[in-house]
Amino acid sequence: MNKIIECVPNFSEGQDLKKVEKIVDAFRGKEGVKLLDYSSDPDHNRSVVTVVGEPEPLKKAVIEAIGVAIKEIDMTKHHGQHPRMGATDVVPFIPIKNATTEECIELSKEVAKEVWEKYQLPVFLYEKSASAKHRQNLSKIRKGQFEGMAEKVKEEKWHPDFGEEKIHPTAGVVAIGARPPLVAFNVNLNTNDLSIADKIAKKVRYIGGGLRYVKAMGVELKDRNIVQISMNMTDFSKTSLYQSFEMIKFEAKRWGVSIVGTEIIGLVPMMALIDVAEYYLGIENFSTDQILESRIME
Amino acid sequence: MNKIIECVPNFSEGQDLKKVEKIVDAFRGKEGVKLLDYSSDPDHNRSVVTVVGEPEPLKKAVIEAIGVAIKEIDMTKHHGQHPRMGATDVVPFIPIKNATTEECIELSKEVAKEVWEKYQLPVFLYEKSASAKHRQNLSKIRKGQFEGMAEKVKEEKWHPDFGEEKIHPTAGVVAIGARPPLVAFNVNLNTNDLSIADKIAKKVRYIGGGLRYVKAMGVELKDRNIVQISMNMTDFSKTSLYQSFEMIKFEAKRWGVSIVGTEIIGLVPMMALIDVAEYYLGIENFSTDQILESRIME
């Protein structure tokens, strides 16, 4: 695969695994598409699929999967802990290799258009694909959830980007868009004082005056009797992992605590970590072409 | 490609690029084989090819290339600055993905056997494939070069592993073996005093009492008016890049100098740098399966 885009669609079914398999089947055995991972959470009643592919075959497979989800999932009967507004809840497209954010925006709009025309499923474009600033954030779009959506889409501010002022009766609505790769990066402290983790999280995160592409919150790790700053690095190409790490180290000093370790949850693009190595070793003039695996993947 | 082995054959032709192309053609357009790079040095009169592939197709292509080199290169007429003993001088096999050193040793022996049987080209097994300790080091095998090899192979200590006690009349002999990936890693200091770089190099390298898998020497960078510790990291899975970096930093203090930057020359396996990021961020329980690109390459 020369040009690689990732897609991480979330489906509102995490209990009936036969239904999940039917949806995931749309990503199997397709030239130019590779299913990397999928997992179902019964409490959330939700499944998350990770798939990569070349733009055109990926597009087709995603549209097919959304079609299967419409057939298999009835949102009027859906219960789960995770907020949700549709059978297919959210479909982010992420540039991985030889692909730009612009291409992912374009792809997300093509999928959105076809999903509306083919299935009469209304679509909100979100994140980088959003048509207005107030529609970038998924949680703002999703507020009110499936049950409130029929009323919400009648408000002018919340008309779908594709579709009319009503929801799909059983599949609700879906958010489709482009975003940079996201890295879940957690930093553990040698204290069990959650208020310290909270204070540091506030200093590091964007909304608290910290780093532009960091979301952070304090979390207790009760089994280890320590606390953690749990972060989403929402654009590591701009805010590096080492920046949040060093900033937390620096803030921790103030409270007389220190970092005991970090965690990366789930998948991470190679470049998020290569960037860290480049910084700490002070590598001059390094090119990603020098990475053997990049060359093999060309 | 599920299982990936790298091969970096060196050929004793760096001036007649038509001949080089004929050799390199053996690696082109072959299913399961990918030519990553090749470069020719006219002063050395030598070309270095970097190719990756699945074991069987790679083996076939390498044997073919050695055959072309025998046809195209006459060592009785070869002149060049780089030490050499054969038309194909050295053929290392390197495990990259889902492949072990043992598999590379096996592969190197299969190639060695076939090269002798097919072309009557005598072979020394070297590095991890060597049949005795004194035959591990390429420069020891190559000592005496092409011109001295006809006599050398008559010594019992230097009988070829495959072949009789004579050389191929025009192609000489070849060394074939398995080795770990090699990383060329240089560390620059803010001084122009070469003796400082030499002293640090001695402390860091294996033969001076330093790190097991480090070869190092001091080098002047005249255009920048600084000096450098130029290293070959011969097994980064055992001696990490950050270990040599931190050791140099530590030794540099003693001479009142500091590191101004580093360089990586040529290709580097992703894991050599991921390992650095893991160390500096203190990542707990990280698995290479979490790297998106590893999953894509599966």
Side-chain angles (χ1 to χ4, degrees):
Chain A
M1 293 192 280
N2 181 38
K3 197 187 276 268
I4 299 179
I5 291 173
E6 185 187 9
C7 187
V8 189
N10 287 218
F11 299 98
S12 294
E13 178 59 67
Q15 294 167 353
D16 186 336
L17 298 184
K18 277 187 191 158
K19 291 187 173 188
V20 174
E21 288 300 324
K22 282 184 189 169
I23 295 167
V24 171
D25 270 346
F27 301 110
R28 288 188 170 114
K30 298 241 178 6
E31 186 76 31
V33 173
K34 187 164 176 140
L35 175 66
L36 295 188
D37 191 41
Y38 65 108
S39 62
S40 301
D41 185 317
D43 296 330
H44 288 180
N45 199 5
R46 186 179 182 89
S47 296
V48 179
V49 177
T50 305
V51 60
V52 292
E54 289 163 358
E56 277 305 309
L58 180 64
K59 179 178 137 182
K60 278 186 193 144
V62 169
I63 292 167
E64 183 183 327
I66 293 172
V68 178
I70 292 171
K71 216 180 288 174
E72 297 295 329
I73 301 171
D74 181 353
M75 291 304 289
T76 64
K77 301 197 174 96
H78 183 274
H79 299 282
Q81 285 171 11
H82 196 288
R84 76 287 177 275
M85 61 182 184
T88 305
D89 201 54
V90 56
V91 182
F93 289 96
I94 303 141
I96 298 296
K97 185 161 183 291
N98 294 331
T100 61
T101 302
E102 286 61 41
E103 289 174 278
C104 288
I105 294 172
E106 193 49 45
L107 189 67
S108 71
K109 290 181 179 174
E110 289 169 23
V111 171
K113 186 168 183 284
E114 196 160 334
V115 159
W116 164 245
E117 289 174 355
K118 197 166 180 178
Y119 308 125
Q120 286 74 58
L121 177 67
V123 182
F124 288 98
L125 295 171
Y126 85 117
E127 283 278 353
K128 302 280 182 194
S129 306
S131 54
K133 194 147 200 246
H134 71 278
R135 299 162 81 106
Q136 286 172 1
N137 190 308
L138 177 64
S139 58
K140 285 185 185 160
I141 296 171
R142 195 162 52 193
K143 202 176 171 190
Q145 301 197 46
F146 173 73
E147 290 73 11
M149 210 47 68
E151 284 307 304
K152 185 170 177 175
V153 295
K154 291 179 186 163
E155 297 174 39
E156 199 184 329
K157 199 180 159 191
W158 294 112
H159 286 350
D161 289 285
F162 292 89
E164 296 161 3
E165 291 156 43
K166 57 180 183 185
I167 66 168
H168 184 288
T170 57
V173 298
V174 61
I176 303 179
R179 63 161 173 81
L182 188 143
V183 179
F185 179 46
N186 301 334
V187 176
N188 300 334
L189 303 178
N190 65 345
T191 174
N192 60 8
D193 185 343
L194 183 59
S195 74
I196 292 178
D198 280 333
K199 280 174 203 149
I200 295 174
K202 270 181 196 152
K203 276 297 199 188
V204 172
R205 70 193 180 201
Y206 175 57
I207 52 164
L211 295 162
R212 176 67 186 93
Y213 294 102
V214 177
K215 293 177 180 177
M217 63 178 186
V219 170
E220 272 186 284
L221 301 186
K222 284 191 180 150
D223 54 330
R224 293 178 63 182
N225 197 31
I226 59 172
V227 297
Q228 173 179 85
I229 294 127
S230 176
M231 291 183 286
N232 269 335
M233 306 291 300
T234 58
D235 190 349
F236 69 79
S237 72
K238 296 193 177 121
T239 302
S240 294
L241 269 63
Y242 68 81
Q243 289 182 284
S244 52
F245 178 79
E246 290 294 335
M247 189 171 280
I248 290 169
K249 199 197 277 180
F250 186 78
E251 291 293 327
K253 265 189 201 163
R254 180 173 174 182
W255 309 106
V257 302
S258 56
I259 294 172
V260 292
T262 68
E263 300 169 358
I264 286 177
I265 308 297
L267 293 177
V268 56
M270 170 181 80
M271 286 313 298
L273 294 177
I274 299 291
D275 174 54
V276 171
E278 278 188 66
Y279 172 74
Y280 285 105
L281 296 183
I283 308 175
E284 300 170 1
N285 301 318
F286 187 71
S287 156
T288 55
D289 283 349
Q290 291 181 254
I291 301 167
L292 189 66
E293 285 78 0
S294 294
R295 299 288 285 277
I296 292 173
M297 285 172 65
E298 260 170 19
Chain B
M1 292 193 282
N2 181 38
K3 197 186 275 272
I4 299 179
I5 291 173
E6 185 187 10
C7 186
V8 189
N10 287 217
F11 300 98
S12 295
E13 178 59 68
Q15 293 167 352
D16 186 337
L17 299 185
K18 277 187 191 158
K19 291 187 174 187
V20 173
E21 288 300 323
K22 282 185 190 169
I23 295 166
V24 171
D25 271 345
F27 300 110
R28 289 187 169 115
K30 297 241 178 6
E31 185 76 31
V33 172
K34 188 164 176 138
L35 176 66
L36 294 189
D37 191 43
Y38 64 108
S39 62
S40 301
D41 185 318
D43 296 329
H44 287 180
N45 198 6
R46 187 179 182 89
S47 295
V48 179
V49 177
T50 305
V51 61
V52 292
E54 289 162 357
E56 276 306 307
L58 181 65
K59 179 179 137 182
K60 279 187 192 143
V62 169
I63 292 167
E64 182 184 328
I66 292 172
V68 179
I70 291 171
K71 215 179 289 174
E72 296 294 330
I73 300 171
D74 182 353
M75 291 304 290
T76 64
K77 301 198 173 94
H78 183 274
H79 299 282
Q81 285 172 11
H82 197 288
R84 76 287 179 274
M85 60 182 186
T88 306
D89 201 53
V90 57
V91 182
F93 289 96
I94 303 141
I96 297 297
K97 185 163 184 290
N98 294 332
T100 61
T101 302
E102 286 63 40
E103 289 176 278
C104 288
I105 293 172
E106 193 49 45
L107 190 66
S108 71
K109 289 180 178 175
E110 288 170 22
V111 171
K113 186 167 183 285
E114 195 160 334
V115 159
W116 165 245
E117 289 173 355
K118 196 167 180 178
Y119 308 125
Q120 287 74 57
L121 178 67
V123 182
F124 288 98
L125 295 172
Y126 86 118
E127 282 279 351
K128 302 280 183 195
S129 307
S131 53
K133 196 149 198 240
H134 71 278
R135 299 162 82 106
Q136 285 173 2
N137 190 308
L138 177 64
S139 58
K140 286 185 186 161
I141 297 171
R142 195 162 52 194
K143 202 174 171 192
Q145 299 197 46
F146 174 74
E147 289 74 11
M149 209 48 67
E151 284 306 307
K152 185 171 178 175
V153 295
K154 291 178 188 165
E155 297 173 40
E156 199 185 328
K157 199 179 158 190
W158 294 111
H159 287 348
D161 288 285
F162 291 88
E164 296 160 4
E165 290 156 42
K166 57 181 185 185
I167 66 168
H168 185 289
T170 56
V173 298
V174 60
I176 303 180
R179 63 161 174 81
L182 188 145
V183 178
F185 180 47
N186 302 332
V187 176
N188 300 333
L189 303 177
N190 65 345
T191 174
N192 60 9
D193 185 343
L194 182 60
S195 73
I196 293 178
D198 279 333
K199 281 174 204 151
I200 295 175
K202 270 181 198 154
K203 276 297 198 189
V204 172
R205 69 193 179 201
Y206 175 58
I207 52 164
L211 295 162
R212 176 67 186 93
Y213 294 101
V214 177
K215 293 177 180 175
M217 64 177 186
V219 169
E220 273 187 283
L221 301 186
K222 284 192 180 151
D223 54 329
R224 293 177 64 181
N225 197 32
I226 59 173
V227 297
Q228 171 178 88
I229 294 127
S230 176
M231 290 182 287
N232 269 335
M233 306 291 300
T234 57
D235 189 349
F236 68 80
S237 72
K238 296 192 178 122
T239 302
S240 294
L241 268 63
Y242 69 81
Q243 288 181 283
S244 53
F245 178 79
E246 289 295 335
M247 189 171 279
I248 290 169
K249 198 197 276 180
F250 186 78
E251 290 293 327
K253 267 189 199 160
R254 178 172 176 183
W255 309 106
V257 301
S258 56
I259 294 172
V260 292
T262 69
E263 301 169 357
I264 286 176
I265 307 298
L267 293 178
V268 56
M270 170 180 81
M271 286 313 298
L273 295 177
I274 300 290
D275 173 55
V276 171
E278 278 189 66
Y279 172 74
Y280 286 106
L281 295 183
I283 308 175
E284 299 171 0
N285 301 320
F286 187 71
S287 156
T288 55
D289 283 349
Q290 291 181 254
I291 301 167
L292 189 67
E293 284 78 0
S294 293
R295 299 289 285 275
I296 293 173
M297 284 172 65
E298 262 169 19

